[in-house]
Amino acid sequence: MADHNKTDTEGKFFSEVLSPSELFAARSRSHKIPVRGQKDFFPNDSDEQRQRLEQSLNEHWSLISEERVERLGNLVKATWLPSEQIVELQSPAGKFWQTMGFSANGKQHLLPEEALYLMECGNLQVFYQNLPLSIQDGYEKFLSSSTVSLQQYQVFGHLKRLGYVVHRFDPSSEPSSYTRQLNLPQSRDRAGKQLKRKRSASPTPTATSSHTEVQERPTADRMEEDECGHECEEDKKPPESPLTASAGTAAAASSDEGRGRTWWMTDDLGERSDHQPASGYSRWHFKSIPFPDLGSRGSSSSCLYPPDPSLLPGSVAVGVCDIAPWRRRINLREVKMSSKDQKREEDKRRRRWDINRDREVRRCRNWAEYQELLARREGRRKGRPAHLWNREVTPLHDPRQPIPTEELLDKMSVIKSTHLLEGASSIKGSDEWRICFNVYQPDTVADFKKSNPGKPYSRMCVCSFDGPVPDLRAIKLLAFQGGDVPVVFAVVDHGDISFYTFKDFHLPTDVFP
Amino acid sequence: MDDASASRGESPPPPHVVGVSLCDSAPLLWRMEDLRSVRAQGLVGALLGSLPRTPRQNGRLGRPLLLLPEEERLLREGHAAGALPARRQDGGGAELVVQVEQQQVEQQQEEQQQRSYEEQSVFALEDRKSALLRAMTSSHSGSGSGSESSDEALRSRLEDLDRSFTFPRSALAVQLSTARAGLSYCPEARAFLQADWPIREQNGRGCDARYQVFRDLRGRGFYLTSAGKFGGDFLVYPGDPLRFHAHFIAVCSSLDESVCLLDVLSVARLGSNVKKTVLLCSPGTDGRILYTSLQWSGMV
């Protein structure tokens, strides 16, 4: 289709300009791309292969050399303003205005990458000094380090061609983590209504209560339990005191919502623990879940207080449970051995053990060795064998010290796991890694508002295989800048783009302290 | 063709010099003859732009063609590439001469568009007439009689069309050029521009090893493209990539560089997953390139 004049050695005008007849004939062009056939494995010098290669190449050239031809009425006109590095529209914008461009000084404008993309789509004709710019001019003028680089434009174009809405990322216009924490209603009405509903909800007996509510609950409990008599007071004291102690922490907990419901009324201890992971899954703290002890001889309680009525189904009401009859059924008598039996037990213990039968003792040649043996055994029994503890390298933990399993695992861990946002706020920014674009999904185009685009689908950071791989510091920095929107790395490799993203993963630890 | 001219006693024509335009320090080719010439030399490159016929898809892309740094260097060393001059009238320093030129060019543009409009109006009218003819003759094809009256009607309709037909300006078909129309360079300009070639960042020895391997493989007739996605330096095709699958993934390193075994394992694993042979390539001391292929075999 392209009619190009061959270059003379004299140096003449080179052009790929279409004649008016060609321009007119362009309206009946096909809009389909031929499908690529199957490839061959190995080149042999057969005619068939040569023919197919020729055909493929011809197809290739005819597609590539086709020039863009548009009706003048379909083209939006614009001018390039190099001083401001933006494009100003001279005729009204088309459908693209819904997702691209901005208004300034009463006129419509486009960013250089948006203008170049629209030029490539054949929707826009940009003039500079009263002459139309070619696509080549657009690439050379619009893409630079001060606007958008070639690699970034490749990613931009790739995503736009797939239908995504792509905007430049502006870190200053993103809500800070504090405003996000406050969860202020966005300008959309839907979010506002949601918030109102939460505030007017009646307080439920869960951990999400405010400071005053926590104080109310113990009194309510006390009123319920007063029926069961004075002996119950003792039992209830331990559960209650932690409750009041944690009233201070409940204020801190009030900002969190949706903590798991707990079974027994003493549940605020959950907030006290520091290792509440960011993912917020609920854990049982068995210290705070009192299981009634009916079997030990020392306990003097004779009744069980009723469970939290909110945990009971429907309208089931449970009163105080008298445990006296149950305890009678348990045989709580101490086993009493007669004096004869006792003596027999002692003899058995003593006589069975003949020290000379011990092989290790027989190996000792003198008293010194025997004493060493005794010391060793003592150490092993006591949990601190000498050969482990008397050297420079000692065991990590003394088995005589009690330690919950979780802390022990923590002590043993060589690599500490971390979340993407952990410690990320203190990382200083760098020029090397920054987020370029916000990407919004294609199906939101219908009701997309440029003034309030909402939360993006992902954020793009453009890099290439020639450059360094992002280290943990860079990933954390970008994750922090991105907020709660995942950051995707678009790696450009000479025309191919691969997308990578890093996600938080928490290794499950089914460990109860 | 070269032999013929040599036998006639003339020097062979100089190889076609392609015009490379730098965009953000990347070498791009825009003109069709440049793309064809480069492909004929066995250099593939990568297309970056939207395809004019169907711009909103990523399956097939259009111009510009991005050259690998090795491809660009090969062209330059063969004196087959030169930098295209930038577009003139780039802001500042508007001298009178430039202004007059500018006005001339604008005027030319307007005249060209006017001529195009006039010619297209003629085409449009003819098109309409033939459409009318077809419509009327097909509707009358059934009835054979009364041909004179139908001819009359036809003529009057055609005359009406001549009188009342207007071709609106908005229907004018306009070209949005891909490549910039302008001067091609003459040999003197070529030499001048080559000296002016901006030196872009080179990684030193790693870069050199890659170029040596590229040149050698290209010399053996292989076609090479970039292989970042495959964890290597180049994808090696036995023939034109349009028709053949790649056989090798070439990983280049210098001889004295030590390679971590884990890297070898990972690249071998990758190669076996995509059914391509991994080639470890290093420029040797005597100017030859040493190739080692990796094959995954089980424990025998």
Side-chain angles (χ1 to χ4, degrees), chain B residues 206-238:
Chain B
C207 198
D208 203 53
R210 280 178 58 130
Y211 178 66
Q212 303 290 336
V213 172
F214 182 90
R215 199 171 53 174
D216 187 67
L217 286 173
R218 177 77 284 282
R220 291 170 193 253
F222 292 103
Y223 286 67
L224 297 135
T225 59
S226 174
K229 278 197 308 195
F230 291 89
D233 286 310
F234 301 113
L235 271 183
V236 185
Y237 295 82

mmCIF file of all heavy atoms in Angstrom, chain B residues 206-238:
data_model
loop_
_atom_site.group_PDB
_atom_site.id
_atom_site.type_symbol
_atom_site.label_atom_id
_atom_site.label_comp_id
_atom_site.label_asym_id
_atom_site.label_seq_id
_atom_site.Cartn_x
_atom_site.Cartn_y
_atom_site.Cartn_z
ATOM 1 N N GLY B 206 31.376 -7.718 30.136
ATOM 2 C CA GLY B 206 30.189 -8.545 29.921
ATOM 3 C C GLY B 206 29.550 -8.212 28.595
ATOM 4 O O GLY B 206 29.123 -9.086 27.835
ATOM 5 N N CYS B 207 29.522 -6.925 28.305
ATOM 6 C CA CYS B 207 28.941 -6.455 27.062
ATOM 7 C C CYS B 207 29.740 -6.935 25.879
ATOM 8 O O CYS B 207 29.196 -7.330 24.848
ATOM 9 C CB CYS B 207 28.945 -4.926 27.129
ATOM 10 S SG CYS B 207 27.851 -4.190 25.983
ATOM 11 N N ASP B 208 31.052 -6.933 26.013
ATOM 12 C CA ASP B 208 31.912 -7.336 24.913
ATOM 13 C C ASP B 208 31.738 -8.813 24.595
ATOM 14 O O ASP B 208 31.672 -9.200 23.429
ATOM 15 C CB ASP B 208 33.370 -7.038 25.281
ATOM 16 C CG ASP B 208 34.210 -6.901 24.040
ATOM 17 O OD1 ASP B 208 33.820 -6.094 23.178
ATOM 18 O OD2 ASP B 208 35.212 -7.617 23.936
ATOM 19 N N ALA B 209 31.639 -9.630 25.647
ATOM 20 C CA ALA B 209 31.457 -11.069 25.439
ATOM 21 C C ALA B 209 30.185 -11.316 24.647
ATOM 22 O O ALA B 209 30.156 -12.117 23.708
ATOM 23 C CB ALA B 209 31.404 -11.787 26.783
ATOM 24 N N ARG B 210 29.130 -10.611 25.031
ATOM 25 C CA ARG B 210 27.863 -10.758 24.336
ATOM 26 C C ARG B 210 28.008 -10.417 22.863
ATOM 27 O O ARG B 210 27.484 -11.118 21.996
ATOM 28 C CB ARG B 210 26.810 -9.837 24.960
ATOM 29 C CG ARG B 210 26.173 -10.352 26.220
ATOM 30 C CD ARG B 210 25.201 -9.348 26.772
ATOM 31 N NE ARG B 210 24.160 -9.026 25.820
ATOM 32 C CZ ARG B 210 22.864 -9.046 26.090
ATOM 33 N NH1 ARG B 210 22.467 -9.399 27.282
ATOM 34 N NH2 ARG B 210 21.981 -8.703 25.179
ATOM 35 N N TYR B 211 28.743 -9.329 22.599
ATOM 36 C CA TYR B 211 28.858 -8.919 21.199
ATOM 37 C C TYR B 211 29.640 -9.941 20.393
ATOM 38 O O TYR B 211 29.287 -10.244 19.247
ATOM 39 C CB TYR B 211 29.500 -7.536 21.107
ATOM 40 C CG TYR B 211 29.682 -7.101 19.687
ATOM 41 C CD1 TYR B 211 28.577 -6.850 18.881
ATOM 42 C CD2 TYR B 211 30.945 -6.996 19.113
ATOM 43 C CE1 TYR B 211 28.725 -6.500 17.566
ATOM 44 C CE2 TYR B 211 31.102 -6.636 17.791
ATOM 45 C CZ TYR B 211 29.989 -6.392 17.021
ATOM 46 O OH TYR B 211 30.150 -6.053 15.710
ATOM 47 N N GLN B 212 30.711 -10.474 20.974
ATOM 48 C CA GLN B 212 31.508 -11.470 20.245
ATOM 49 C C GLN B 212 30.646 -12.686 19.900
ATOM 50 O O GLN B 212 30.679 -13.209 18.786
ATOM 51 C CB GLN B 212 32.689 -11.943 21.106
ATOM 52 C CG GLN B 212 33.610 -10.860 21.592
ATOM 53 C CD GLN B 212 34.419 -10.258 20.468
ATOM 54 O OE1 GLN B 212 34.638 -10.882 19.438
ATOM 55 N NE2 GLN B 212 34.829 -9.036 20.669
ATOM 56 N N VAL B 213 29.881 -13.146 20.876
ATOM 57 C CA VAL B 213 29.040 -14.320 20.658
ATOM 58 C C VAL B 213 27.991 -14.017 19.595
ATOM 59 O O VAL B 213 27.744 -14.821 18.689
ATOM 60 C CB VAL B 213 28.367 -14.741 21.982
ATOM 61 C CG1 VAL B 213 27.347 -15.814 21.748
ATOM 62 C CG2 VAL B 213 29.404 -15.201 22.980
ATOM 63 N N PHE B 214 27.410 -12.816 19.701
ATOM 64 C CA PHE B 214 26.380 -12.431 18.739
ATOM 65 C C PHE B 214 26.939 -12.441 17.326
ATOM 66 O O PHE B 214 26.353 -13.004 16.397
ATOM 67 C CB PHE B 214 25.852 -11.030 19.095
ATOM 68 C CG PHE B 214 24.755 -10.555 18.192
ATOM 69 C CD1 PHE B 214 23.430 -10.823 18.502
ATOM 70 C CD2 PHE B 214 25.039 -9.854 17.036
ATOM 71 C CE1 PHE B 214 22.412 -10.396 17.667
ATOM 72 C CE2 PHE B 214 24.032 -9.431 16.200
ATOM 73 C CZ PHE B 214 22.703 -9.694 16.511
ATOM 74 N N ARG B 215 28.098 -11.845 17.181
ATOM 75 C CA ARG B 215 28.675 -11.731 15.845
ATOM 76 C C ARG B 215 29.001 -13.102 15.283
ATOM 77 O O ARG B 215 28.764 -13.375 14.106
ATOM 78 C CB ARG B 215 29.933 -10.869 15.901
ATOM 79 C CG ARG B 215 30.323 -10.322 14.542
ATOM 80 C CD ARG B 215 31.415 -9.320 14.674
ATOM 81 N NE ARG B 215 32.525 -9.868 15.425
ATOM 82 C CZ ARG B 215 33.672 -9.227 15.584
ATOM 83 N NH1 ARG B 215 33.830 -8.039 15.055
ATOM 84 N NH2 ARG B 215 34.631 -9.762 16.297
ATOM 85 N N ASP B 216 29.525 -13.963 16.140
ATOM 86 C CA ASP B 216 29.895 -15.284 15.663
ATOM 87 C C ASP B 216 28.661 -16.079 15.224
ATOM 88 O O ASP B 216 28.630 -16.676 14.153
ATOM 89 C CB ASP B 216 30.643 -16.038 16.770
ATOM 90 C CG ASP B 216 31.206 -17.353 16.289
ATOM 91 O OD1 ASP B 216 32.118 -17.317 15.446
ATOM 92 O OD2 ASP B 216 30.717 -18.398 16.725
ATOM 93 N N LEU B 217 27.632 -16.071 16.067
ATOM 94 C CA LEU B 217 26.442 -16.856 15.741
ATOM 95 C C LEU B 217 25.742 -16.296 14.512
ATOM 96 O O LEU B 217 25.239 -17.037 13.676
ATOM 97 C CB LEU B 217 25.486 -16.883 16.940
ATOM 98 C CG LEU B 217 25.936 -17.789 18.083
ATOM 99 C CD1 LEU B 217 25.029 -17.616 19.285
ATOM 100 C CD2 LEU B 217 25.941 -19.239 17.652
ATOM 101 N N ARG B 218 25.707 -14.973 14.404
ATOM 102 C CA ARG B 218 25.088 -14.363 13.240
ATOM 103 C C ARG B 218 25.867 -14.749 11.979
ATOM 104 O O ARG B 218 25.290 -15.029 10.931
ATOM 105 C CB ARG B 218 25.058 -12.845 13.425
ATOM 106 C CG ARG B 218 24.504 -12.069 12.263
ATOM 107 C CD ARG B 218 22.987 -12.078 12.131
ATOM 108 N NE ARG B 218 22.375 -13.268 11.608
ATOM 109 C CZ ARG B 218 22.327 -13.611 10.321
ATOM 110 N NH1 ARG B 218 22.915 -12.846 9.420
ATOM 111 N NH2 ARG B 218 21.731 -14.709 9.955
ATOM 112 N N GLY B 219 27.210 -14.778 12.144
ATOM 113 C CA GLY B 219 28.042 -15.158 11.010
ATOM 114 C C GLY B 219 27.784 -16.585 10.556
ATOM 115 O O GLY B 219 27.966 -16.920 9.375
ATOM 116 N N ARG B 220 27.336 -17.428 11.497
ATOM 117 C CA ARG B 220 27.034 -18.812 11.120
ATOM 118 C C ARG B 220 25.628 -18.967 10.577
ATOM 119 O O ARG B 220 25.195 -20.080 10.313
ATOM 120 C CB ARG B 220 27.165 -19.725 12.352
ATOM 121 C CG ARG B 220 28.576 -19.888 12.821
ATOM 122 C CD ARG B 220 28.553 -20.585 14.172
ATOM 123 N NE ARG B 220 29.825 -20.505 14.818
ATOM 124 C CZ ARG B 220 30.668 -21.534 14.951
ATOM 125 N NH1 ARG B 220 30.361 -22.706 14.456
ATOM 126 N NH2 ARG B 220 31.820 -21.363 15.575
ATOM 127 N N GLY B 221 24.909 -17.862 10.469
ATOM 128 C CA GLY B 221 23.600 -17.948 9.847
ATOM 129 C C GLY B 221 22.433 -18.046 10.811
ATOM 130 O O GLY B 221 21.289 -18.182 10.391
ATOM 131 N N PHE B 222 22.692 -17.972 12.108
ATOM 132 C CA PHE B 222 21.586 -18.049 13.055
ATOM 133 C C PHE B 222 20.936 -16.683 13.219
ATOM 134 O O PHE B 222 21.569 -15.659 13.061
ATOM 135 C CB PHE B 222 22.073 -18.522 14.424
ATOM 136 C CG PHE B 222 22.530 -19.951 14.438
ATOM 137 C CD1 PHE B 222 23.876 -20.260 14.441
ATOM 138 C CD2 PHE B 222 21.600 -20.978 14.455
ATOM 139 C CE1 PHE B 222 24.301 -21.568 14.459
ATOM 140 C CE2 PHE B 222 22.016 -22.297 14.480
ATOM 141 C CZ PHE B 222 23.370 -22.594 14.470
ATOM 142 N N TYR B 223 19.668 -16.722 13.579
ATOM 143 C CA TYR B 223 18.959 -15.488 13.889
ATOM 144 C C TYR B 223 18.864 -15.389 15.405
ATOM 145 O O TYR B 223 18.553 -16.369 16.075
ATOM 146 C CB TYR B 223 17.547 -15.523 13.290
ATOM 147 C CG TYR B 223 17.507 -15.340 11.802
ATOM 148 C CD1 TYR B 223 18.022 -16.291 10.932
ATOM 149 C CD2 TYR B 223 16.940 -14.191 11.248
ATOM 150 C CE1 TYR B 223 17.982 -16.113 9.565
ATOM 151 C CE2 TYR B 223 16.890 -14.016 9.880
ATOM 152 C CZ TYR B 223 17.418 -14.978 9.047
ATOM 153 O OH TYR B 223 17.374 -14.799 7.686
ATOM 154 N N LEU B 224 19.104 -14.203 15.946
ATOM 155 C CA LEU B 224 19.149 -14.061 17.410
ATOM 156 C C LEU B 224 18.199 -12.984 17.896
ATOM 157 O O LEU B 224 18.102 -11.916 17.279
ATOM 158 C CB LEU B 224 20.566 -13.684 17.842
ATOM 159 C CG LEU B 224 21.607 -14.747 17.530
ATOM 160 C CD1 LEU B 224 22.838 -14.127 16.941
ATOM 161 C CD2 LEU B 224 21.958 -15.499 18.774
ATOM 162 N N THR B 225 17.504 -13.295 18.980
ATOM 163 C CA THR B 225 16.684 -12.271 19.624
ATOM 164 C C THR B 225 16.993 -12.288 21.120
ATOM 165 O O THR B 225 17.685 -13.161 21.610
ATOM 166 C CB THR B 225 15.186 -12.521 19.428
ATOM 167 O OG1 THR B 225 14.875 -13.795 19.970
ATOM 168 C CG2 THR B 225 14.785 -12.475 17.979
ATOM 169 N N SER B 226 16.413 -11.342 21.818
ATOM 170 C CA SER B 226 16.687 -11.219 23.240
ATOM 171 C C SER B 226 15.975 -12.318 24.029
ATOM 172 O O SER B 226 14.898 -12.761 23.638
ATOM 173 C CB SER B 226 16.205 -9.842 23.702
ATOM 174 O OG SER B 226 16.326 -9.732 25.082
ATOM 175 N N ALA B 227 16.578 -12.766 25.109
ATOM 176 C CA ALA B 227 16.013 -13.905 25.857
ATOM 177 C C ALA B 227 15.935 -13.620 27.349
ATOM 178 O O ALA B 227 16.137 -14.514 28.152
ATOM 179 C CB ALA B 227 16.866 -15.147 25.621
ATOM 180 N N GLY B 228 15.599 -12.398 27.716
ATOM 181 C CA GLY B 228 15.505 -12.095 29.145
ATOM 182 C C GLY B 228 14.487 -12.963 29.850
ATOM 183 O O GLY B 228 14.698 -13.434 30.957
ATOM 184 N N LYS B 229 13.368 -13.213 29.172
ATOM 185 C CA LYS B 229 12.305 -14.028 29.780
ATOM 186 C C LYS B 229 12.777 -15.438 30.063
ATOM 187 O O LYS B 229 12.233 -16.124 30.914
ATOM 188 C CB LYS B 229 11.119 -14.135 28.817
ATOM 189 C CG LYS B 229 10.197 -12.965 28.847
ATOM 190 C CD LYS B 229 8.891 -13.303 28.211
ATOM 191 C CE LYS B 229 9.088 -13.897 26.853
ATOM 192 N NZ LYS B 229 7.851 -13.914 26.083
ATOM 193 N N PHE B 230 13.755 -15.925 29.306
ATOM 194 C CA PHE B 230 14.215 -17.298 29.458
ATOM 195 C C PHE B 230 15.449 -17.383 30.326
ATOM 196 O O PHE B 230 16.066 -18.433 30.407
ATOM 197 C CB PHE B 230 14.524 -17.902 28.076
ATOM 198 C CG PHE B 230 13.305 -18.131 27.247
ATOM 199 C CD1 PHE B 230 12.820 -17.149 26.416
ATOM 200 C CD2 PHE B 230 12.632 -19.338 27.313
ATOM 201 C CE1 PHE B 230 11.681 -17.366 25.665
ATOM 202 C CE2 PHE B 230 11.498 -19.569 26.557
ATOM 203 C CZ PHE B 230 11.022 -18.578 25.730
ATOM 204 N N GLY B 231 15.817 -16.284 30.932
ATOM 205 C CA GLY B 231 16.970 -16.315 31.818
ATOM 206 C C GLY B 231 18.287 -16.376 31.095
ATOM 207 O O GLY B 231 19.305 -16.737 31.681
ATOM 208 N N GLY B 232 18.313 -16.042 29.814
ATOM 209 C CA GLY B 232 19.575 -16.093 29.086
ATOM 210 C C GLY B 232 19.828 -14.795 28.369
ATOM 211 O O GLY B 232 19.123 -13.809 28.564
ATOM 212 N N ASP B 233 20.850 -14.798 27.514
ATOM 213 C CA ASP B 233 21.183 -13.575 26.781
ATOM 214 C C ASP B 233 20.494 -13.536 25.427
ATOM 215 O O ASP B 233 19.954 -12.516 25.031
ATOM 216 C CB ASP B 233 22.699 -13.474 26.600
ATOM 217 C CG ASP B 233 23.380 -13.104 27.897
ATOM 218 O OD1 ASP B 233 22.925 -12.122 28.530
ATOM 219 O OD2 ASP B 233 24.339 -13.787 28.298
ATOM 220 N N PHE B 234 20.558 -14.655 24.680
ATOM 221 C CA PHE B 234 19.956 -14.666 23.344
ATOM 222 C C PHE B 234 19.168 -15.938 23.130
ATOM 223 O O PHE B 234 19.500 -16.997 23.660
ATOM 224 C CB PHE B 234 21.031 -14.617 22.250
ATOM 225 C CG PHE B 234 21.922 -13.427 22.317
ATOM 226 C CD1 PHE B 234 23.257 -13.574 22.629
ATOM 227 C CD2 PHE B 234 21.430 -12.158 22.062
ATOM 228 C CE1 PHE B 234 24.090 -12.477 22.696
ATOM 229 C CE2 PHE B 234 22.258 -11.062 22.131
ATOM 230 C CZ PHE B 234 23.588 -11.222 22.447
ATOM 231 N N LEU B 235 18.129 -15.818 22.285
ATOM 232 C CA LEU B 235 17.430 -16.988 21.771
ATOM 233 C C LEU B 235 17.974 -17.220 20.364
ATOM 234 O O LEU B 235 18.009 -16.288 19.556
ATOM 235 C CB LEU B 235 15.929 -16.717 21.678
ATOM 236 C CG LEU B 235 15.082 -17.028 22.892
ATOM 237 C CD1 LEU B 235 13.629 -16.755 22.586
ATOM 238 C CD2 LEU B 235 15.239 -18.458 23.336
ATOM 239 N N VAL B 236 18.387 -18.439 20.078
ATOM 240 C CA VAL B 236 19.048 -18.724 18.800
ATOM 241 C C VAL B 236 18.105 -19.530 17.932
ATOM 242 O O VAL B 236 17.673 -20.632 18.301
ATOM 243 C CB VAL B 236 20.358 -19.522 19.047
ATOM 244 C CG1 VAL B 236 21.095 -19.718 17.751
ATOM 245 C CG2 VAL B 236 21.226 -18.779 20.036
ATOM 246 N N TYR B 237 17.774 -18.975 16.740
ATOM 247 C CA TYR B 237 16.876 -19.631 15.795
ATOM 248 C C TYR B 237 17.689 -20.152 14.626
ATOM 249 O O TYR B 237 18.590 -19.468 14.136
ATOM 250 C CB TYR B 237 15.850 -18.637 15.253
ATOM 251 C CG TYR B 237 14.891 -18.086 16.266
ATOM 252 C CD1 TYR B 237 15.252 -17.031 17.089
ATOM 253 C CD2 TYR B 237 13.607 -18.596 16.384
ATOM 254 C CE1 TYR B 237 14.376 -16.512 18.010
ATOM 255 C CE2 TYR B 237 12.709 -18.078 17.295
ATOM 256 C CZ TYR B 237 13.103 -17.039 18.099
ATOM 257 O OH TYR B 237 12.227 -16.524 19.014
ATOM 258 N N PRO B 238 17.340 -21.332 14.098
ATOM 259 C CA PRO B 238 18.071 -21.844 12.933
ATOM 260 C C PRO B 238 17.734 -21.092 11.652
ATOM 261 O O PRO B 238 18.471 -21.174 10.673
ATOM 262 C CB PRO B 238 17.623 -23.303 12.855
ATOM 263 C CG PRO B 238 16.303 -23.340 13.526
ATOM 264 C CD PRO B 238 16.327 -22.274 14.579
#
